[in-house]
């Protein structure tokens, strides 16, 4: 009886450990020819603070991340320009099961931490809690120089702004809802994403399907 109980207990622990373990998400190929024409996307771009229930289609997630800061040329350059081509902006993706960071080369989401950290971006704006996905834009300032200063911070912030606009336009093109936000609980997010002092945490984008 005791043996059976111990076996069941160890099985339960193994299942719980498995649930906490995040795996790399290999994204499917982005849809580089879909969506609406780019000038229609400019016409449609707006901040949306309401999200329909349900997660994003996997194709939309893939296309959105590629459009945000993916590789668009054989030499590895990106959809977003960056100062001195340092490609300093990393996109973290917060979803119900955990936090990931986008790897443009592998077109994959690499695990950062298991657990739901989406509440850390709300900063009192409750609408963010309805978003299935939150993209967090971080500039790794060490890609500019070993000891970042206010100048590098400014350049990192500029690069983040460009990735943010890519996200807004891509969402408009895909019919997704988003809003660029500076509000967030910096301390909580920095801890959750294991950021160093040399990471500049700039903006976040709650993303979801458009509420009809
Ligand atoms: C740098 C920046 C920070 C922003 N921060 C927030 C924010 O914390 N919360 C929010 O609800 N909207 C935020 N916004 C969205 C603006 O409020 C919004 O863009 C503005 O009201 C214009 O509306 P539109 O985007 O629909 O044109 C931010 C926009 C920018 C560019």
């Amino acid at each position: 009886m005791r043996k059976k109980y111990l076996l069941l207990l160890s099985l339960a622990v193994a299942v719980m450990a498995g649930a906490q373990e995040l795996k790399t998400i290999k994204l499917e190929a982005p849809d580089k020819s879909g969506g609406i024409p780019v000038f229609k996307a400019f016409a449609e771009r707006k901040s949306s603070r309401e999200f329909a229930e349900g997660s994003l289609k996997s194709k939309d997630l893939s296309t959105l991340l590629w459009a945000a800061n993916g590789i668009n040329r054989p030499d590895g350059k990106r959809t977003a320009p960056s100062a001195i081509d340092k490609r300093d902006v990393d996109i973290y993706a917060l979803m119900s099961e955990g936090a990931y960071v986008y790897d443009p080369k592998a077109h994959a989401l690499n695990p950062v931490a298991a657990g739901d950290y989406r509440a850390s971006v709300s900063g009192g704006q409750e609408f963010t809690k309805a978003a299935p996905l939150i993209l967090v834009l971080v500039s790794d300032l060490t890609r500019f120089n070993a000891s970042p200063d206010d100048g590098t911070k400014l350049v990192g912030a500029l690069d983040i702004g460009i990735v943010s606009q890519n996200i807004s336009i891509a969402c408009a093109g895909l019919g997704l809802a988003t809003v660029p936000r500076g509000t967030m609980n910096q301390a909580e997010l920095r801890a959750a994403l294991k950021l160093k002092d040399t990471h500049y945490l700039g903006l976040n984008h709650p993303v979801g399907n458009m509420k009809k």
Side-chain angles (χ1 to χ4, degrees):
M1 183 67 189
R2 194 176 136 79
K3 225 174 174 184
K4 205 170 167 188
Y5 172 77
L6 282 174
L7 185 70
L8 277 174
L9 190 70
S10 53
L11 266 176
V13 169
V15 167
M16 277 162 69
Q20 282 169 5
E21 198 179 294
L22 290 183
K23 293 212 171 85
T24 295
I25 301 174
K26 179 77 190 112
L27 297 160
E28 58 188 274
D31 182 0
K32 298 184 186 174
S33 56
I36 60 175
V38 69
F39 285 101
K40 189 153 176 15
F42 277 108
E44 299 278 323
R45 203 256 359 129
K46 64 180 178 200
S47 292
S48 301
R49 296 179 179 83
E50 283 189 311
F51 309 95
E53 266 184 44
S55 48
L56 259 58
K57 289 185 204 130
S58 55
K59 193 73 163 182
D60 283 351
L61 176 65
S62 162
T63 304
L64 173 60
L65 287 165
W66 174 77
N69 203 12
I71 292 174
N72 68 353
R73 281 159 285 172
D75 60 5
K77 290 193 179 188
R78 307 288 188 77
T79 56
S82 63
I84 352 173
D85 190 25
K86 291 298 182 187
R87 306 170 201 176
D88 54 300
V89 180
D90 289 326
I91 303 176
Y92 290 78
L94 311 185
M95 297 190 271
S96 58
E97 73 276 18
Y100 299 83
V101 63
Y102 176 54
D103 174 352
K105 227 180 204 172
H107 194 54
L109 285 170
N110 292 328
V112 174
D116 192 346
Y117 299 101
R118 289 173 300 168
S120 299
V121 305
S122 94
Q125 290 195 299
E126 293 298 305
F127 72 83
T128 63
K129 293 182 179 163
L133 168 72
I134 296 181
L135 300 179
V136 178
L137 307 185
V138 174
S139 168
D140 179 352
L141 303 177
T142 60
R143 290 180 206 161
F144 296 113
N145 57 36
S147 43
D149 53 18
D150 286 351
T152 28
K153 219 180 249 182
L154 175 62
V155 176
L158 293 171
D159 286 347
I160 282 174
I162 293 171
V163 173
S164 166
Q165 185 66 354
N166 274 5
I167 293 171
S168 289
I169 296 296
C171 282
L174 292 166
L176 299 173
T178 196
V179 50
R181 297 177 65 249
T183 308
M184 61 193 123
N185 185 327
Q186 286 263 348
E188 261 182 44
L189 265 183
R190 295 189 78 87
L193 302 179
K194 302 166 187 162
L195 300 182
K196 301 189 179 128
D197 290 347
T198 47
H199 284 115
Y200 178 75
L201 174 49
L203 289 171
N204 66 77
H205 273 260
V207 181
N209 295 302
M210 200 66 90
K211 202 164 182 179
K212 301 253 155 74

PDB file of all heavy atoms in Angstrom, residues 110-143:
ATOM      1  N   ASN A 110      12.496  30.746 -27.565  1.00  0.00           N
ATOM      2  CA  ASN A 110      13.276  30.005 -26.577  1.00  0.00           C
ATOM      3  C   ASN A 110      12.758  30.280 -25.166  1.00  0.00           C
ATOM      4  O   ASN A 110      12.480  31.444 -24.835  1.00  0.00           O
ATOM      5  CB  ASN A 110      14.756  30.395 -26.663  1.00  0.00           C
ATOM      6  CG  ASN A 110      15.387  29.921 -27.952  1.00  0.00           C
ATOM      7  OD1 ASN A 110      15.004  28.878 -28.491  1.00  0.00           O
ATOM      8  ND2 ASN A 110      16.333  30.680 -28.472  1.00  0.00           N
ATOM      9  N   PRO A 111      12.644  29.248 -24.351  1.00  0.00           N
ATOM     10  CA  PRO A 111      12.124  29.428 -22.995  1.00  0.00           C
ATOM     11  C   PRO A 111      13.004  30.347 -22.147  1.00  0.00           C
ATOM     12  O   PRO A 111      14.231  30.293 -22.233  1.00  0.00           O
ATOM     13  CB  PRO A 111      12.170  28.017 -22.408  1.00  0.00           C
ATOM     14  CG  PRO A 111      12.344  27.095 -23.540  1.00  0.00           C
ATOM     15  CD  PRO A 111      12.985  27.850 -24.645  1.00  0.00           C
ATOM     16  N   VAL A 112      12.348  31.190 -21.346  1.00  0.00           N
ATOM     17  CA  VAL A 112      13.060  32.041 -20.371  1.00  0.00           C
ATOM     18  C   VAL A 112      12.642  31.635 -18.960  1.00  0.00           C
ATOM     19  O   VAL A 112      13.488  31.408 -18.101  1.00  0.00           O
ATOM     20  CB  VAL A 112      12.754  33.536 -20.611  1.00  0.00           C
ATOM     21  CG1 VAL A 112      13.369  34.405 -19.520  1.00  0.00           C
ATOM     22  CG2 VAL A 112      13.263  33.972 -21.978  1.00  0.00           C
ATOM     23  N   ALA A 113      11.341  31.542 -18.724  1.00  0.00           N
ATOM     24  CA  ALA A 113      10.854  31.168 -17.391  1.00  0.00           C
ATOM     25  C   ALA A 113       9.439  30.621 -17.496  1.00  0.00           C
ATOM     26  O   ALA A 113       8.603  31.196 -18.198  1.00  0.00           O
ATOM     27  CB  ALA A 113      10.870  32.379 -16.464  1.00  0.00           C
ATOM     28  N   ALA A 114       9.188  29.518 -16.798  1.00  0.00           N
ATOM     29  CA  ALA A 114       7.831  28.971 -16.746  1.00  0.00           C
ATOM     30  C   ALA A 114       6.976  29.828 -15.818  1.00  0.00           C
ATOM     31  O   ALA A 114       7.486  30.418 -14.865  1.00  0.00           O
ATOM     32  CB  ALA A 114       7.867  27.532 -16.253  1.00  0.00           C
ATOM     33  N   GLY A 115       5.696  29.927 -16.111  1.00  0.00           N
ATOM     34  CA  GLY A 115       4.785  30.704 -15.262  1.00  0.00           C
ATOM     35  C   GLY A 115       4.163  31.848 -16.055  1.00  0.00           C
ATOM     36  O   GLY A 115       4.675  32.239 -17.100  1.00  0.00           O
ATOM     37  N   ASP A 116       3.066  32.340 -15.540  1.00  0.00           N
ATOM     38  CA  ASP A 116       2.331  33.408 -16.235  1.00  0.00           C
ATOM     39  C   ASP A 116       2.745  34.771 -15.679  1.00  0.00           C
ATOM     40  O   ASP A 116       2.411  35.109 -14.549  1.00  0.00           O
ATOM     41  CB  ASP A 116       0.823  33.186 -16.043  1.00  0.00           C
ATOM     42  CG  ASP A 116       0.006  34.071 -16.963  1.00  0.00           C
ATOM     43  OD1 ASP A 116       0.574  35.021 -17.546  1.00  0.00           O
ATOM     44  OD2 ASP A 116      -1.205  33.822 -17.098  1.00  0.00           O
ATOM     45  N   TYR A 117       3.490  35.538 -16.463  1.00  0.00           N
ATOM     46  CA  TYR A 117       3.985  36.846 -16.003  1.00  0.00           C
ATOM     47  C   TYR A 117       3.232  38.008 -16.622  1.00  0.00           C
ATOM     48  O   TYR A 117       3.647  39.153 -16.521  1.00  0.00           O
ATOM     49  CB  TYR A 117       5.490  36.967 -16.322  1.00  0.00           C
ATOM     50  CG  TYR A 117       6.294  35.900 -15.623  1.00  0.00           C
ATOM     51  CD1 TYR A 117       6.725  34.781 -16.313  1.00  0.00           C
ATOM     52  CD2 TYR A 117       6.559  36.000 -14.263  1.00  0.00           C
ATOM     53  CE1 TYR A 117       7.432  33.775 -15.659  1.00  0.00           C
ATOM     54  CE2 TYR A 117       7.256  34.998 -13.615  1.00  0.00           C
ATOM     55  CZ  TYR A 117       7.690  33.897 -14.319  1.00  0.00           C
ATOM     56  OH  TYR A 117       8.376  32.906 -13.671  1.00  0.00           O
ATOM     57  N   ARG A 118       2.109  37.702 -17.295  1.00  0.00           N
ATOM     58  CA  ARG A 118       1.417  38.770 -18.026  1.00  0.00           C
ATOM     59  C   ARG A 118       0.908  39.876 -17.104  1.00  0.00           C
ATOM     60  O   ARG A 118       0.835  41.025 -17.507  1.00  0.00           O
ATOM     61  CB  ARG A 118       0.272  38.177 -18.865  1.00  0.00           C
ATOM     62  CG  ARG A 118       0.788  37.356 -20.060  1.00  0.00           C
ATOM     63  CD  ARG A 118      -0.337  36.657 -20.774  1.00  0.00           C
ATOM     64  NE  ARG A 118      -1.040  35.742 -19.880  1.00  0.00           N
ATOM     65  CZ  ARG A 118      -2.198  35.168 -20.159  1.00  0.00           C
ATOM     66  NH1 ARG A 118      -2.795  35.400 -21.305  1.00  0.00           N
ATOM     67  NH2 ARG A 118      -2.777  34.347 -19.299  1.00  0.00           N
ATOM     68  N   ALA A 119       0.578  39.516 -15.848  1.00  0.00           N
ATOM     69  CA  ALA A 119       0.057  40.536 -14.929  1.00  0.00           C
ATOM     70  C   ALA A 119       1.106  41.608 -14.628  1.00  0.00           C
ATOM     71  O   ALA A 119       0.765  42.743 -14.264  1.00  0.00           O
ATOM     72  CB  ALA A 119      -0.422  39.886 -13.640  1.00  0.00           C
ATOM     73  N   SER A 120       2.388  41.262 -14.800  1.00  0.00           N
ATOM     74  CA  SER A 120       3.459  42.222 -14.486  1.00  0.00           C
ATOM     75  C   SER A 120       3.477  43.427 -15.416  1.00  0.00           C
ATOM     76  O   SER A 120       4.140  44.414 -15.126  1.00  0.00           O
ATOM     77  CB  SER A 120       4.822  41.546 -14.570  1.00  0.00           C
ATOM     78  OG  SER A 120       4.893  40.511 -13.658  1.00  0.00           O
ATOM     79  N   VAL A 121       2.781  43.339 -16.537  1.00  0.00           N
ATOM     80  CA  VAL A 121       2.794  44.506 -17.428  1.00  0.00           C
ATOM     81  C   VAL A 121       1.601  45.432 -17.171  1.00  0.00           C
ATOM     82  O   VAL A 121       1.572  46.531 -17.709  1.00  0.00           O
ATOM     83  CB  VAL A 121       2.808  44.150 -18.937  1.00  0.00           C
ATOM     84  CG1 VAL A 121       3.941  43.234 -19.290  1.00  0.00           C
ATOM     85  CG2 VAL A 121       1.487  43.601 -19.392  1.00  0.00           C
ATOM     86  N   SER A 122       0.644  45.014 -16.375  1.00  0.00           N
ATOM     87  CA  SER A 122      -0.598  45.796 -16.323  1.00  0.00           C
ATOM     88  C   SER A 122      -0.368  47.204 -15.754  1.00  0.00           C
ATOM     89  O   SER A 122      -0.851  48.176 -16.316  1.00  0.00           O
ATOM     90  CB  SER A 122      -1.688  45.051 -15.565  1.00  0.00           C
ATOM     91  OG  SER A 122      -1.722  45.423 -14.223  1.00  0.00           O
ATOM     92  N   GLY A 123       0.364  47.311 -14.664  1.00  0.00           N
ATOM     93  CA  GLY A 123       0.621  48.630 -14.076  1.00  0.00           C
ATOM     94  C   GLY A 123      -0.669  49.405 -13.832  1.00  0.00           C
ATOM     95  O   GLY A 123      -0.717  50.618 -14.047  1.00  0.00           O
ATOM     96  N   GLY A 124      -1.715  48.693 -13.453  1.00  0.00           N
ATOM     97  CA  GLY A 124      -2.996  49.346 -13.157  1.00  0.00           C
ATOM     98  C   GLY A 124      -3.930  49.417 -14.357  1.00  0.00           C
ATOM     99  O   GLY A 124      -5.087  49.814 -14.212  1.00  0.00           O
ATOM    100  N   GLN A 125      -3.461  49.019 -15.546  1.00  0.00           N
ATOM    101  CA  GLN A 125      -4.342  49.021 -16.723  1.00  0.00           C
ATOM    102  C   GLN A 125      -4.895  47.597 -16.908  1.00  0.00           C
ATOM    103  O   GLN A 125      -4.253  46.740 -17.517  1.00  0.00           O
ATOM    104  CB  GLN A 125      -3.581  49.485 -17.964  1.00  0.00           C
ATOM    105  CG  GLN A 125      -3.232  50.976 -17.908  1.00  0.00           C
ATOM    106  CD  GLN A 125      -2.814  51.505 -19.272  1.00  0.00           C
ATOM    107  OE1 GLN A 125      -1.844  51.044 -19.852  1.00  0.00           O
ATOM    108  NE2 GLN A 125      -3.558  52.478 -19.785  1.00  0.00           N
ATOM    109  N   GLU A 126      -6.081  47.398 -16.367  1.00  0.00           N
ATOM    110  CA  GLU A 126      -6.652  46.046 -16.272  1.00  0.00           C
ATOM    111  C   GLU A 126      -6.879  45.392 -17.632  1.00  0.00           C
ATOM    112  O   GLU A 126      -6.873  44.170 -17.749  1.00  0.00           O
ATOM    113  CB  GLU A 126      -7.984  46.100 -15.503  1.00  0.00           C
ATOM    114  CG  GLU A 126      -7.810  46.481 -14.032  1.00  0.00           C
ATOM    115  CD  GLU A 126      -6.961  45.475 -13.252  1.00  0.00           C
ATOM    116  OE1 GLU A 126      -7.304  44.281 -13.270  1.00  0.00           O
ATOM    117  OE2 GLU A 126      -5.956  45.892 -12.645  1.00  0.00           O
ATOM    118  N   PHE A 127      -7.063  46.200 -18.674  1.00  0.00           N
ATOM    119  CA  PHE A 127      -7.388  45.615 -19.983  1.00  0.00           C
ATOM    120  C   PHE A 127      -6.295  44.668 -20.482  1.00  0.00           C
ATOM    121  O   PHE A 127      -6.550  43.755 -21.255  1.00  0.00           O
ATOM    122  CB  PHE A 127      -7.661  46.715 -21.026  1.00  0.00           C
ATOM    123  CG  PHE A 127      -6.431  47.462 -21.477  1.00  0.00           C
ATOM    124  CD1 PHE A 127      -5.605  46.946 -22.462  1.00  0.00           C
ATOM    125  CD2 PHE A 127      -6.092  48.692 -20.911  1.00  0.00           C
ATOM    126  CE1 PHE A 127      -4.473  47.633 -22.883  1.00  0.00           C
ATOM    127  CE2 PHE A 127      -4.957  49.381 -21.325  1.00  0.00           C
ATOM    128  CZ  PHE A 127      -4.146  48.848 -22.306  1.00  0.00           C
ATOM    129  N   THR A 128      -5.067  44.869 -20.016  1.00  0.00           N
ATOM    130  CA  THR A 128      -3.961  44.036 -20.525  1.00  0.00           C
ATOM    131  C   THR A 128      -4.143  42.566 -20.139  1.00  0.00           C
ATOM    132  O   THR A 128      -3.609  41.685 -20.792  1.00  0.00           O
ATOM    133  CB  THR A 128      -2.599  44.512 -19.977  1.00  0.00           C
ATOM    134  OG1 THR A 128      -2.588  44.367 -18.561  1.00  0.00           O
ATOM    135  CG2 THR A 128      -2.316  45.954 -20.347  1.00  0.00           C
ATOM    136  N   LYS A 129      -4.913  42.340 -19.064  1.00  0.00           N
ATOM    137  CA  LYS A 129      -5.060  40.961 -18.571  1.00  0.00           C
ATOM    138  C   LYS A 129      -5.868  40.088 -19.527  1.00  0.00           C
ATOM    139  O   LYS A 129      -5.850  38.872 -19.421  1.00  0.00           O
ATOM    140  CB  LYS A 129      -5.681  40.972 -17.174  1.00  0.00           C
ATOM    141  CG  LYS A 129      -4.715  41.605 -16.185  1.00  0.00           C
ATOM    142  CD  LYS A 129      -5.201  41.627 -14.767  1.00  0.00           C
ATOM    143  CE  LYS A 129      -4.144  42.269 -13.871  1.00  0.00           C
ATOM    144  NZ  LYS A 129      -4.635  42.688 -12.575  1.00  0.00           N
ATOM    145  N   ALA A 130      -6.577  40.716 -20.453  1.00  0.00           N
ATOM    146  CA  ALA A 130      -7.364  39.936 -21.423  1.00  0.00           C
ATOM    147  C   ALA A 130      -6.547  39.560 -22.653  1.00  0.00           C
ATOM    148  O   ALA A 130      -7.033  38.835 -23.521  1.00  0.00           O
ATOM    149  CB  ALA A 130      -8.595  40.744 -21.844  1.00  0.00           C
ATOM    150  N   ALA A 131      -5.305  40.027 -22.726  1.00  0.00           N
ATOM    151  CA  ALA A 131      -4.484  39.732 -23.918  1.00  0.00           C
ATOM    152  C   ALA A 131      -3.804  38.381 -23.775  1.00  0.00           C
ATOM    153  O   ALA A 131      -3.116  38.136 -22.793  1.00  0.00           O
ATOM    154  CB  ALA A 131      -3.437  40.817 -24.111  1.00  0.00           C
ATOM    155  N   PRO A 132      -3.959  37.483 -24.769  1.00  0.00           N
ATOM    156  CA  PRO A 132      -3.313  36.171 -24.659  1.00  0.00           C
ATOM    157  C   PRO A 132      -1.792  36.225 -24.796  1.00  0.00           C
ATOM    158  O   PRO A 132      -1.087  35.327 -24.351  1.00  0.00           O
ATOM    159  CB  PRO A 132      -3.927  35.377 -25.819  1.00  0.00           C
ATOM    160  CG  PRO A 132      -4.397  36.401 -26.798  1.00  0.00           C
ATOM    161  CD  PRO A 132      -4.767  37.612 -25.992  1.00  0.00           C
ATOM    162  N   LEU A 133      -1.313  37.297 -25.426  1.00  0.00           N
ATOM    163  CA  LEU A 133       0.120  37.418 -25.695  1.00  0.00           C
ATOM    164  C   LEU A 133       0.571  38.834 -25.365  1.00  0.00           C
ATOM    165  O   LEU A 133      -0.121  39.801 -25.715  1.00  0.00           O
ATOM    166  CB  LEU A 133       0.372  37.151 -27.191  1.00  0.00           C
ATOM    167  CG  LEU A 133       1.749  37.492 -27.747  1.00  0.00           C
ATOM    168  CD1 LEU A 133       2.787  36.488 -27.239  1.00  0.00           C
ATOM    169  CD2 LEU A 133       1.729  37.483 -29.279  1.00  0.00           C
ATOM    170  N   ILE A 134       1.718  38.930 -24.697  1.00  0.00           N
ATOM    171  CA  ILE A 134       2.295  40.259 -24.478  1.00  0.00           C
ATOM    172  C   ILE A 134       3.732  40.230 -24.965  1.00  0.00           C
ATOM    173  O   ILE A 134       4.528  39.386 -24.529  1.00  0.00           O
ATOM    174  CB  ILE A 134       2.194  40.677 -23.003  1.00  0.00           C
ATOM    175  CG1 ILE A 134       0.712  40.786 -22.660  1.00  0.00           C
ATOM    176  CG2 ILE A 134       2.904  42.022 -22.779  1.00  0.00           C
ATOM    177  CD1 ILE A 134       0.332  41.191 -21.317  1.00  0.00           C
ATOM    178  N   LEU A 135       4.042  41.111 -25.897  1.00  0.00           N
ATOM    179  CA  LEU A 135       5.414  41.213 -26.397  1.00  0.00           C
ATOM    180  C   LEU A 135       6.116  42.317 -25.625  1.00  0.00           C
ATOM    181  O   LEU A 135       5.573  43.420 -25.478  1.00  0.00           O
ATOM    182  CB  LEU A 135       5.406  41.524 -27.904  1.00  0.00           C
ATOM    183  CG  LEU A 135       4.714  40.478 -28.785  1.00  0.00           C
ATOM    184  CD1 LEU A 135       4.737  40.901 -30.251  1.00  0.00           C
ATOM    185  CD2 LEU A 135       5.366  39.100 -28.622  1.00  0.00           C
ATOM    186  N   VAL A 136       7.299  42.017 -25.128  1.00  0.00           N
ATOM    187  CA  VAL A 136       8.060  42.974 -24.332  1.00  0.00           C
ATOM    188  C   VAL A 136       9.359  43.269 -25.080  1.00  0.00           C
ATOM    189  O   VAL A 136      10.079  42.341 -25.467  1.00  0.00           O
ATOM    190  CB  VAL A 136       8.353  42.393 -22.927  1.00  0.00           C
ATOM    191  CG1 VAL A 136       9.181  43.366 -22.103  1.00  0.00           C
ATOM    192  CG2 VAL A 136       7.051  42.056 -22.203  1.00  0.00           C
ATOM    193  N   LEU A 137       9.636  44.550 -25.287  1.00  0.00           N
ATOM    194  CA  LEU A 137      10.779  44.948 -26.111  1.00  0.00           C
ATOM    195  C   LEU A 137      11.934  45.411 -25.236  1.00  0.00           C
ATOM    196  O   LEU A 137      11.796  46.354 -24.449  1.00  0.00           O
ATOM    197  CB  LEU A 137      10.360  46.052 -27.082  1.00  0.00           C
ATOM    198  CG  LEU A 137       9.119  45.726 -27.938  1.00  0.00           C
ATOM    199  CD1 LEU A 137       8.869  46.830 -28.958  1.00  0.00           C
ATOM    200  CD2 LEU A 137       9.279  44.388 -28.640  1.00  0.00           C
ATOM    201  N   VAL A 138      13.056  44.734 -25.404  1.00  0.00           N
ATOM    202  CA  VAL A 138      14.224  44.966 -24.551  1.00  0.00           C
ATOM    203  C   VAL A 138      15.439  45.205 -25.441  1.00  0.00           C
ATOM    204  O   VAL A 138      15.689  44.432 -26.367  1.00  0.00           O
ATOM    205  CB  VAL A 138      14.477  43.725 -23.655  1.00  0.00           C
ATOM    206  CG1 VAL A 138      15.762  43.886 -22.860  1.00  0.00           C
ATOM    207  CG2 VAL A 138      13.297  43.475 -22.723  1.00  0.00           C
ATOM    208  N   SER A 139      16.187  46.269 -25.156  1.00  0.00           N
ATOM    209  CA  SER A 139      17.435  46.489 -25.881  1.00  0.00           C
ATOM    210  C   SER A 139      18.590  45.994 -25.018  1.00  0.00           C
ATOM    211  O   SER A 139      18.745  46.411 -23.863  1.00  0.00           O
ATOM    212  CB  SER A 139      17.615  47.984 -26.187  1.00  0.00           C
ATOM    213  OG  SER A 139      18.930  48.222 -26.646  1.00  0.00           O
ATOM    214  N   ASP A 140      19.404  45.125 -25.588  1.00  0.00           N
ATOM    215  CA  ASP A 140      20.613  44.655 -24.900  1.00  0.00           C
ATOM    216  C   ASP A 140      21.730  45.655 -25.231  1.00  0.00           C
ATOM    217  O   ASP A 140      22.351  45.591 -26.297  1.00  0.00           O
ATOM    218  CB  ASP A 140      20.969  43.249 -25.388  1.00  0.00           C
ATOM    219  CG  ASP A 140      22.221  42.718 -24.719  1.00  0.00           C
ATOM    220  OD1 ASP A 140      22.903  43.486 -24.003  1.00  0.00           O
ATOM    221  OD2 ASP A 140      22.534  41.531 -24.920  1.00  0.00           O
ATOM    222  N   LEU A 141      21.979  46.580 -24.293  1.00  0.00           N
ATOM    223  CA  LEU A 141      22.888  47.705 -24.562  1.00  0.00           C
ATOM    224  C   LEU A 141      24.338  47.271 -24.709  1.00  0.00           C
ATOM    225  O   LEU A 141      25.150  48.011 -25.271  1.00  0.00           O
ATOM    226  CB  LEU A 141      22.752  48.759 -23.451  1.00  0.00           C
ATOM    227  CG  LEU A 141      21.330  49.308 -23.237  1.00  0.00           C
ATOM    228  CD1 LEU A 141      21.308  50.280 -22.062  1.00  0.00           C
ATOM    229  CD2 LEU A 141      20.798  49.993 -24.482  1.00  0.00           C
ATOM    230  N   THR A 142      24.659  46.081 -24.249  1.00  0.00           N
ATOM    231  CA  THR A 142      26.052  45.627 -24.396  1.00  0.00           C
ATOM    232  C   THR A 142      26.396  45.397 -25.872  1.00  0.00           C
ATOM    233  O   THR A 142      27.573  45.287 -26.224  1.00  0.00           O
ATOM    234  CB  THR A 142      26.332  44.320 -23.619  1.00  0.00           C
ATOM    235  OG1 THR A 142      25.466  43.295 -24.123  1.00  0.00           O
ATOM    236  CG2 THR A 142      26.122  44.493 -22.137  1.00  0.00           C
ATOM    237  N   ARG A 143      25.370  45.298 -26.714  1.00  0.00           N
ATOM    238  CA  ARG A 143      25.666  45.112 -28.144  1.00  0.00           C
ATOM    239  C   ARG A 143      26.228  46.404 -28.760  1.00  0.00           C
ATOM    240  O   ARG A 143      26.782  46.380 -29.843  1.00  0.00           O
ATOM    241  CB  ARG A 143      24.429  44.625 -28.896  1.00  0.00           C
ATOM    242  CG  ARG A 143      24.099  43.196 -28.494  1.00  0.00           C
ATOM    243  CD  ARG A 143      22.894  42.589 -29.182  1.00  0.00           C
ATOM    244  NE  ARG A 143      22.332  41.541 -28.329  1.00  0.00           N
ATOM    245  CZ  ARG A 143      21.116  41.051 -28.426  1.00  0.00           C
ATOM    246  NH1 ARG A 143      20.306  41.489 -29.370  1.00  0.00           N
ATOM    247  NH2 ARG A 143      20.696  40.128 -27.591  1.00  0.00           N
TER     248      ARG A 143
END
